[in-house]
Amino acid sequence: MGIGEDMVRDVISRDLGHPLRVAIDGVTASGKSTCARWLVSAVAAQGRPAIHVTMDGFHHRRAHRYRQGRTSATGYYRDAYDFEALCTQVLIPLGPNGSGEIRRRIIDLATDEPVNDPLEPVSADAIVVVDGTFLHRPPLPDYWDYTVFVDTPMDVARARGTARDADALGGEVAAGMAFDQRYHAACRIYLDEVGPRARATRVLPSIDSMLSMG
C-alpha cells in the first residue's frame, strides 16, 4: 500500500460525529497546498465530502503582518496569520457541539481587504483539510483531529519557493534573500520551538513522496 493510499484510508476511517479537521503543515514552499488538494480529491473520490481551506485566507492585514519589518523572521512567525480567526471561523464550529457552519477566509490577500463571506454549512461526515505554515503552534493542536507534517528538506523547499515567488518578490535573488531572512528563518524558529514532526499524526518524508502518493 502506498503512503497516499494508506493516509486516505486512515483519514476516512475516523468518524467522530463531527467534521474531521485535518491540518497539512510544513515549512514555506514544502508542498502543503499540493498535498491538501491531493487529499481532498482522493477523499472525494471515495465518496466522502471533502473541503479545502487555505491559510492564505487567514492572513492578518499588511500593516499587522509587517509591523516588525518586511524582513523580520519573528514578525512572520508571530504576526503573519490570524490563528484566532481560524479557530473561531473554522475549527471551533466544526468541533463537538459546533455550529457546523464556517467561513473559508477573512481577507482577500491580493487586495488586503477584509471579507465577510456568508456562512457555509458543512456536513458532519465531511473531511476539512487546512493547509498552512505553523499549524502545530498552540493552541491549534487542541482543535485538530488529524495532522500531517510535510517534511520537505529546507533546501528543496527554498528552491521551489524562490522559483515560484520570484516575480512577486523582485526576482530569484531577492526571493532567495526573502526566504533566508524571513520565511525559512521563521520556520526554523517554529521547528525549534514547537517540534511539529513529533506532534504530527503523520509525517510525509519528502515532497517527492507526497507527489507520488497512491
Side-chain angles (χ1 to χ4, degrees):
M1 181 186 299
I3 187 172
E5 182 181 4
D6 180 58
M7 183 169 69
V8 172
R9 289 189 181 185
D10 192 12
V11 167
I12 289 177
S13 71
R14 298 174 186 241
D15 184 0
L16 304 180
H18 60 79
L20 190 75
R21 301 163 294 181
V22 178
I24 307 293
D25 188 18
V27 304
T28 306
S30 60
K32 303 177 298 297
S33 297
T34 302
C35 179
R37 289 190 294 266
W38 183 93
L39 182 58
V40 166
S41 178
V43 166
Q46 297 297 316
R48 187 90 173 258
I51 293 173
H52 181 200
V53 176
T54 174
M55 284 302 298
D56 283 351
F58 287 91
H59 276 81
H60 284 292
R61 298 184 77 178
R62 289 179 194 133
H64 186 101
R65 295 204 305 273
Y66 298 126
R67 62 183 179 175
Q68 298 190 56
R70 293 186 70 92
T71 63
S72 171
T74 302
Y76 184 62
Y77 184 45
R78 301 293 181 194
D79 299 332
Y81 297 105
D82 191 340
F83 293 118
E84 180 179 353
L86 176 70
C87 289
T88 59
Q89 299 296 329
V90 178
L91 301 182
I92 293 173
L94 296 180
N97 303 312
S99 67
E101 296 182 320
I102 68 170
R103 289 187 173 92
R104 298 198 203 192
R105 60 176 189 158
I106 61 166
I107 190 172
D108 183 307
L109 191 56
T111 64
D112 196 42
E113 291 300 322
V115 294
N116 188 28
D117 293 340
L119 287 168
E120 177 181 349
V122 178
S123 62
D125 63 339
I127 294 173
V128 178
V129 181
V130 182
D131 75 80
T133 308
F134 314 139
L135 295 187
H136 286 88
R137 271 183 56 182
L140 295 180
D142 294 340
Y143 301 107
W144 299 120
D145 303 306
Y146 194 101
T147 65
V148 177
F149 186 78
V150 181
D151 197 14
T152 302
M154 197 76 81
D155 61 335
V156 176
R158 183 188 186 279
R160 294 181 72 247
T162 55
R164 181 192 68 190
D165 297 339
D167 289 345
L169 296 176
E172 287 205 19
V173 172
M177 291 178 61
F179 270 80
D180 294 340
Q181 296 176 2
R182 180 169 170 86
Y183 302 117
H184 279 176
C187 290
R188 288 187 172 91
I189 296 172
Y190 173 57
L191 296 175
D192 291 342
E193 183 177 288
V194 175
R197 296 181 184 92
R199 291 174 175 261
T201 310
R202 182 179 292 266
V203 175
L204 299 181
S206 71
I207 183 69
D208 293 333
S209 68
M210 184 192 72
L211 292 174
S212 62
M213 287 177 180

